Amino acid sequence: MGLTSTISLYDSRWPALFLCAREQIAAAFGAELVAIHHVGSTAVPGLAAKPEIDLLIEVSAHLNEAHRDTVMRELGYARGSDLSAGHHFYRRDVDGVRTHKAHVCLTGHRQIERMLRFRDRLRHDPVLRQQYQDLKRELEASNTGGIGEYLAKKAPFIDGVMGAD
């Protein structure tokens, strides 16, 4: 089982795709919405990535989840398993190809600061960005276990960059 999409060169359309997705899904969160951030590799200019737009949605509370799930489903997002307490996950696939991932985290959740800080480090450090890109391409080339294997093998690099947080 391979990855749901292949790594491609940076595409200057990714920020616009994020803005479109942000506008579409904001209504699903109502008054609980604090912010929607573009994270992941598509948020880093110049970085090759799987063309999957990652959204980090910060909410003040997880209110009316049934309504949220309905709106997200109408927009083509499927609710996945919670990644941790206070960290919900949605994915959007088109014709079997992943196009978007939405992480919904409560304000103060450690993943918010972690995702934003990792993105910003990659944006500002070209050497680090190249190392990460090289690793991702290497992992893609050797991947036989799908996305779980890919994520697990990227984790030590990310943890090393982020320190012991």
Side-chain angles (χ1 to χ4, degrees):
M1 170 201 309
L3 301 176
T4 55
S5 56
T6 58
I7 294 172
S8 56
L9 294 176
Y10 180 78
D11 188 328
S12 62
R13 295 174 295 176
W14 289 338
L17 291 171
F18 161 74
L19 292 173
C20 181
R22 180 180 72 181
E23 183 177 316
Q24 289 176 335
I25 68 173
F29 296 90
E32 68 189 303
L33 180 63
V34 173
I36 302 177
H37 306 278
H38 189 188
V39 295
S41 294
T42 62
V44 180
L47 180 62
K50 293 184 280 103
E52 302 171 5
I53 305 302
D54 283 281
L55 300 108
L56 171 57
I57 303 158
E58 182 180 352
V59 295
S60 58
H62 286 300
L63 303 173
N64 200 356
E65 291 181 44
H67 170 73
R68 178 200 302 166
D69 290 349
T70 298
V71 174
M72 292 295 282
R73 194 170 32 258
E74 290 169 355
L75 294 170
Y77 290 83
R79 173 98 181 245
S81 299
D82 291 353
L83 300 179
S84 65
H87 185 173
H88 300 178
F89 180 75
Y90 295 85
R91 66 188 178 282
R92 183 171 189 265
D93 296 352
V94 175
D95 297 326
V97 176
R98 179 82 22 95
T99 62
H100 294 75
K101 295 176 288 201
H103 298 265
V104 183
C105 294
L106 290 170
T107 295
H109 195 286
R110 71 181 290 272
Q111 283 301 322
I112 295 171
E113 190 269 340
R114 185 174 168 86
M115 285 185 210
L116 293 174
R117 195 160 44 99
F118 186 65
R119 177 202 64 193
D120 292 347
R121 285 188 178 174
L122 291 173
R123 283 178 172 174
H124 295 105
D125 186 335
V127 172
L128 182 65
R129 185 171 51 247
Q130 186 63 51
Q131 290 170 341
Y132 188 54
Q133 178 172 292
D134 292 346
L135 172 65
K136 291 181 347 154
R137 288 198 178 277
E138 176 185 316
L139 294 176
E140 178 186 46
S142 64
N143 185 279
T144 58
I147 192 67
E149 173 188 300
Y150 177 78
L151 295 173
K153 289 185 174 181
K154 282 193 327 182
F157 179 88
I158 296 168
D159 290 344
V161 169
M162 300 309 293
D165 62 333

